[in-house]
Amino acid sequence: MNARLQQLWTNLQAFFSSQPPARRIAIGAVGVGSMALVLGVAWWVQRPLYRPLFTNLSPEDASAIVETLRADKVAYELDEGGHAILVPADRLYELRLSLASRGLPEGGGVGFEIFDKQSLGQTDFLQHLNYQRALQGELGRTIAQLGGVEAARVHLAIPERSLFVSQDRRPSASVVVKLLPGRALSRAQIDGIVHLIASSVQGMAPDAVTVVDEAGRMLTPEHRGDDATTASGTAIEYQRGIERATEERIESMVGTIVGSGKVIARVAATVDFSRTERTEESYDPDKTAVRQQHLTREETTGGKLAQGTPGTASNLTNDPYAASAEDTGPRTERRDETQSYEVSKTVSRTVGPIGTVKQLSVAVLVDGTYKEENGQRVFVPRSDEELDKLKTLVAGAVGLSEARGDRIEITSAAFQAPDLTAGEGILTTAAEWAPSLIARGLGIALVLGVLIFGVRPLVQSLGTSRALPRLGGLFLDREAAVSEIARENVALSQQNPERAAQLVRQWLIEHGQRTA
């Protein structure tokens, strides 16, 4: 084997020396370039794939995560100006769980972990300031978890409590939210943020919370405007909620019959938001009751009349008949009686509900069936009988009433849009891995191109050279190879004539069978 390699090296040196200088330079450049390209592509292909560990990180979180990865000796890359960290794909989920156990990322700001490390000699002012910072950070992290919110920052103004009620000031708060691209906060989400802040700070009223977005637009004034604007917005949301619920009910029911994705329902609801109050009074003449009774009675009987000169002497007497005499005088009797009766009365007050559905208009579009004719897909609309049955089912499902003027229309038409919901997961996965796979494929194709268009012509030029009929035991000249094979066959026949004769007989038999 060593002799063959030495012979091959000698032949290559002889071939290289026999070439003109220009061709030597070209061969050397192609060889060195090919080797460097192959080694570079091989190194690049062997590199691990890097996937985003976290994105949209704050500088504090990014610094803490980088320090942790360095301590654990984990390879990483920075992207998006330091706001994204990439790690090897095979360790992505392992590192996420490991960092989550250490409380990373913290989500920006300082939370209650500020009290994990206490230092001696802190004043009350510093304690109060640290508590306010921790509360602001925790509220910001909580709001950032809401749907559509990328990041949030909370500023609290908590004044010191005063002993005088007139000088006591209430706390206030301002919230800055950074939304994801194309997202907007609904009224319910703004309500949730406002009441979350107000409920987290003692003594804070919801009116003292202001919410703005990253563009500086105030969200709370639009939400907390006058009563008419608020009532109008609530009414529209309520109406749309009724319409969406009715549409989902129709599509889910009809979809089980005609197939999923083959029915589209649209509902227009007319809702009455007026408040009605009715008061009724009814009287029953057969039922009476005493409402008021007044009774006055005055009676005066007898009385001794005074005689003589007023004074003590006139009241003292020695007449024995005077003491036994009967008193005489006026006798008065008075009686006043008043009674008031009330007829039985019933008073009832009825308040009508708000948001009563006055009318529903339902439109349902149903896909038909298809058949093959002459290799083409032909649409077949659904029959009137089938549409009537679906119309009856829909009317019963949504509670249509002819008395209030509800309308329903069902039509069968061909659907042109394909159903792509089944392939969303495959397309998403392919989109994630496509860039890396395409890059690696291009690298492999480049190596193959160099081998085919660079190295292969070089080898062919060596084979066509008459100066090297034998290269390390491998014949590159066709005539020399045929003659050498013939000589080796003759030598083998002489060494083993029986085996040679058997082979000849076998060739003759096979040739005879093919000619027959």
Side-chain angles (χ1 to χ4, degrees), residues 185-206:
L185 290 179
S186 63
R187 297 183 182 274
Q189 287 178 310
I190 298 174
D191 264 343
I193 293 174
V194 170
H195 287 84
L196 172 66
I197 301 296
S199 301
S200 302
V201 181
Q202 183 179 3
M204 181 178 293

Side-chain angles (χ1 to χ4, degrees), residues 484-495:
E484 181 67 18
I485 293 174
R487 287 195 298 270
E488 291 181 357
N489 289 336
V490 172
L492 292 174
S493 300
Q494 294 175 356
Q495 295 176 1

Side-chain angles (χ1 to χ4, degrees), residues 305-378:
L305 297 178
Q307 297 178 0
T309 304
T312 304
S314 62
N315 291 325
L316 297 177
T317 180
N318 293 325
D319 189 0
Y321 297 99
S324 61
E326 294 181 0
D327 296 334
T328 60
R331 185 181 183 88
T332 303
E333 183 178 353
R334 180 184 176 186
R335 185 175 182 180
D336 185 6
E337 184 175 352
T338 303
Q339 289 184 351
S340 176
Y341 293 89
E342 187 73 34
V343 180
S344 177
K345 180 179 68 172
T346 303
V347 180
S348 61
R349 181 173 177 268
T350 305
V351 179
I354 302 176
T356 305
V357 178
K358 296 180 62 177
Q359 187 180 14
L360 284 178
S361 297
V362 181
V364 182
L365 187 63
V366 183
D367 193 10
T369 58
Y370 297 88
K371 63 180 181 180
E372 297 289 338
E373 288 186 1
N374 299 327
Q376 295 182 353
R377 194 165 177 256
V378 180

Side-chain angles (χ1 to χ4, degrees), residues 229-373:
T229 305
T230 304
S232 176
T234 305
I236 294 175
E237 291 182 359
Y238 179 77
Q239 177 180 344
R240 290 179 179 175
I242 293 177
E243 294 173 350
R244 286 193 297 267
T246 308
E247 292 169 358
E248 292 175 358
R249 190 183 308 172
I250 295 173
E251 292 178 354
S252 62
M253 182 187 65
V254 180
T256 57
I257 300 175
V258 301
S260 178
K262 293 186 177 182
V263 55
I264 299 175
R266 294 293 180 265
V267 178
T270 303
V271 184
D272 185 11
F273 292 98
S274 60
R275 182 187 295 272
T276 58
E277 296 184 5
R278 184 177 60 183
T279 304
E280 295 181 352
E281 294 186 5
S282 59
Y283 296 89
D284 189 356
D286 297 333
K287 295 181 180 180
T288 59
V290 179
R291 179 180 181 183
Q292 186 178 8
Q293 184 176 4
H294 178 73
L295 179 63
T296 303
R297 183 176 181 181
E298 182 180 353
E299 182 178 358
T300 303
T301 57
K304 182 178 179 181
L305 297 178
Q307 297 178 0
T309 304
T312 304
S314 62
N315 291 325
L316 297 177
T317 180
N318 293 325
D319 189 0
Y321 297 99
S324 61
E326 294 181 0
D327 296 334
T328 60
R331 185 181 183 88
T332 303
E333 183 178 353
R334 180 184 176 186
R335 185 175 182 180
D336 185 6
E337 184 175 352
T338 303
Q339 289 184 351
S340 176
Y341 293 89
E342 187 73 34
V343 180
S344 177
K345 180 179 68 172
T346 303
V347 180
S348 61
R349 181 173 177 268
T350 305
V351 179
I354 302 176
T356 305
V357 178
K358 296 180 62 177
Q359 187 180 14
L360 284 178
S361 297
V362 181
V364 182
L365 187 63
V366 183
D367 193 10
T369 58
Y370 297 88
K371 63 180 181 180
E372 297 289 338
E373 288 186 1

Side-chain angles (χ1 to χ4, degrees), residues 37-81:
L37 181 62
V38 170
L39 293 177
V41 173
W43 173 81
W44 180 75
V45 170
Q46 293 297 325
R47 289 183 60 199
L49 288 175
Y50 278 80
R51 298 285 303 279
L53 179 64
F54 295 108
T55 58
N56 299 322
L57 292 172
S58 63
E60 296 80 5
D61 287 339
S63 176
I65 293 175
V66 167
E67 291 298 331
T68 304
L69 294 178
R70 286 178 179 174
D72 295 342
K73 297 181 180 180
V74 178
Y76 67 91
E77 292 181 358
L78 297 179
D79 197 7
E80 298 179 4

